[in-house]
Amino acid sequence: MSPGASRARRADRIAFAAQGYALTTILASLPVVQDRYGISEDQLTLAVLGVLLAAAGGSGVADWISRRPGGSRVALAAGLLAIAGTLPLVALAPTFVLAVIAFAMYGVALGMVDAGTNMQGVAVQRVFGRPLMSGFHAGWSVGAIIGALVCAATVMWLPSDPVILILLTGVPVALVAGLVMLRDGLVVDTAPGVEHTGEKPPVPWGPLLVLGGALLAFYAADNAAQTWGSLYVDETLEAEAWLGPLTLAAYLFTALLPRLFGDAAVRRWGRVRVVRTASLVAAAGLLLVVVAPGIGLGLAGFAIAGAGLGLGAPLCFSAAGALSPDDADAVVARLNVFNYGGTLMGAVLVGVISGMSSFRWGFLVPVVLVLGITAIAGRFSVHDDADAEQARRREVEA
C-alpha cells in the first residue's frame, strides 16, 4: 500500500477524532447552556433542531465541494476549519438569540465534517480493498470519550460565564485536524472518462433508502443517548452533576469497543448478522435505561446500548461505498442526510416527548426504532453481495 494511502487513512482518523471531541464537549455542556441562558427544555430542543437543519445544509455544501477539484479532501478540511472558527462564537454568545445563530453556523460546519469524514473513509477503504469504516468511527469514539472525560473533570470548577471555556478547547483540535487533512487527505480520482463537471451523478435510490432507514434509526437512538443522557441521569435519576458526563463517557467507551473489531466481524460473518446482533443489543440496553430505578442500572443501560449502537453508522456508510463505487462521494453525501433525520428524532422528538411527560417515555422512541432495524437486517445482504463482486473483480484484475 502506498505511503499516501496510509497518510490519508491516518488523516481521516484524526478528523473523526476531532469531530467527536468538539461535538461531545457541546453535548455534555447542554445542562450548562440551559442554566446559563435560563431556558426551558423546549427552547433547548428548538435550538438543537436549528443545528440539525443547518447541518443538513452543510452536508449539501460538502456534496457540492466534493464534485470540484480537490474533492472530499477539501470539503472535509473546510468543515474542520469552520468548526474551529465557530466554536468561539458559541462559547462567547452573550444572549440565547446570539447563541442560536452561533449554533446554526456551527451546524453547517458539522454537516460538512459529517459528510466529508465518511466520504474520505469510503474512498480510503476502496483503496485498501477491505472494510475500514468501523476503525474510522472508532477514532470518533476516542475523541468523544476524551471530550466527555474532560467535561466530567471540569464541570465543578471551570466557569461558563461570560465564556463557556470548555468549548474553546475544541478550537486547536479542529484546526490541527483541518490542516492535516489538507496536507494528507486522499484526492479521489473521478471514474475513467468522467470530469469534474459539478453535475450530480445517478444514485441507486432503492438500496440507499434501506441503508437510510437503518442509519436514521441508529442515529435516533445514538443521539437520544448523547443529547439527553446527561440530563436524564441529572433530572430523572437525580444523580450528582459529575455523573452526567461520566454516563456519556461510559456510553461512548462501550460504543468504541465494537468499532475496534467491527471490520473483522463484517469480513467473517457479513453485515446481515452483525446488524441484527447489534440492533438487539442496543434495544436491550435502551430498555434498561427506561426502567432503571437508579444511577447504577441507568449507567449499565447506557453502556449496553453503546455496545449495540457503535457499529450502526460505520456499517451503513461502508455498505454505501459498495453501491456505486465510482460515485461513492455522492452516495455518501445523500446517505448522510438520513443522519439528521435520525438526529432529529433522537434529539428533538425525544426531547419533545420528554418535555410533555418524562424522559422514560421519551427513550421508548429509540427502542422501537432500533427493533425496526432488526426487522430489515436481511436487506443488508445486497451490500454483502456487492462487496463480494468487488473482491472478485480485484482478483481478476490482479
Side-chain angles (χ1 to χ4, degrees):
M1 193 58 57
S2 69
S6 297
R7 288 195 299 269
R9 183 181 183 182
R10 182 182 64 240
D12 202 35
R13 283 177 173 170
I14 292 173
F16 267 104
Q19 178 203 30
Y21 180 88
L23 179 60
T24 303
T25 56
I26 290 178
L27 294 178
S29 299
L30 285 181
V32 173
V33 172
Q34 188 174 18
D35 290 342
R36 177 178 176 179
Y37 298 112
I39 58 176
S40 66
E41 288 180 7
D42 290 340
Q43 290 174 302
L44 186 60
T45 298
L46 288 175
V48 172
L49 174 60
V51 173
L52 297 182
L53 294 176
S59 185
V61 172
D63 181 20
W64 182 82
I65 295 175
S66 71
R67 288 181 273 114
R68 269 73 186 166
S72 58
R73 174 179 63 89
V74 173
L76 175 51
L80 288 165
L81 296 177
I83 285 179
T86 55
L87 281 177
L89 301 179
V90 175
L92 288 164
T95 67
F96 180 59
V97 173
L98 292 177
V100 169
I101 296 173
F103 270 118
M105 296 172 65
Y106 166 79
V108 174
L110 174 66
M112 294 174 66
V113 175
D114 276 343
T117 48
N118 286 293
M119 287 176 180
Q120 277 284 298
V122 167
V124 173
Q125 176 177 267
R126 186 184 182 194
V127 172
F128 277 78
R130 65 178 188 272
L132 295 175
M133 289 300 291
S134 292
F136 287 127
H137 282 258
W140 188 97
S141 295
V142 169
I145 290 169
I146 294 173
L149 291 175
V150 169
C151 288
T154 60
V155 69
M156 300 301 294
W157 59 268
L158 196 63
S160 59
D161 193 22
V163 182
I164 306 178
L165 291 177
I166 187 62
L167 301 185
L168 297 182
T169 62
V171 174
V173 173
L175 180 62
V176 169
L179 295 176
V180 170
M181 178 53 59
L182 276 178
R183 185 189 68 185
D184 296 335
L186 188 68
V187 178
V188 181
D189 295 328
T190 55
V194 178
E195 300 297 331
H196 283 286
T197 63
E199 297 179 359
K200 294 183 179 181
V203 174
W205 281 107
L208 183 61
L209 287 174
V210 174
L211 287 179
L215 188 69
L216 183 149
F218 269 120
Y219 268 114
D222 180 63
N223 280 278
Q226 292 189 51
T227 303
W228 303 112
S230 295
L231 284 172
Y232 180 86
V233 300
D234 179 57
E235 296 183 5
T236 303
L237 302 182
E238 299 180 349
E240 297 291 335
W242 62 274
L243 284 170
L246 187 62
T247 299
L248 179 57
Y251 171 84
L252 294 169
F253 177 75
T254 55
L256 166 64
L257 296 179
R259 289 178 174 180
L260 296 175
F261 309 103
D263 294 322
V266 170
R267 290 195 296 270
R268 181 170 181 178
W269 292 299
R271 289 189 180 88
V272 174
R273 291 183 180 180
V274 175
V275 168
R276 184 173 290 124
T277 301
S279 62
L280 288 173
V281 171
L286 290 167
L287 278 173
L288 185 55
V289 168
V290 171
V291 302
I295 184 60
L297 287 179
L299 182 60
F302 279 111
I304 294 171
L309 294 171
L311 286 179
L315 282 170
C316 291
F317 282 111
S318 179
L323 287 179
S324 182
D326 293 331
D327 300 324
D329 280 356
V331 174
V332 169
R334 285 155 179 78
L335 178 62
N336 189 58
V337 175
F338 289 90
N339 167 0
Y340 304 114
T343 304
L344 177 66
M345 297 187 74
V348 177
L349 181 59
V350 170
V352 170
I353 294 175
S354 300
M356 295 172 61
S357 53
S358 70
F359 276 116
R360 294 190 190 276
W361 286 105
F363 269 92
L364 283 176
V365 173
V367 173
V368 174
L369 291 172
V370 169
L371 288 175
I373 299 173
T374 307
I376 66 171
R379 301 289 296 277
F380 275 73
S381 61
V382 65
H383 307 288
D384 285 333
D385 294 341
D387 279 345
E389 177 62 20
Q390 288 187 47
R392 186 191 65 80
R393 289 180 180 177
R394 284 193 296 268
E395 290 177 0
V396 171
E397 292 172 356

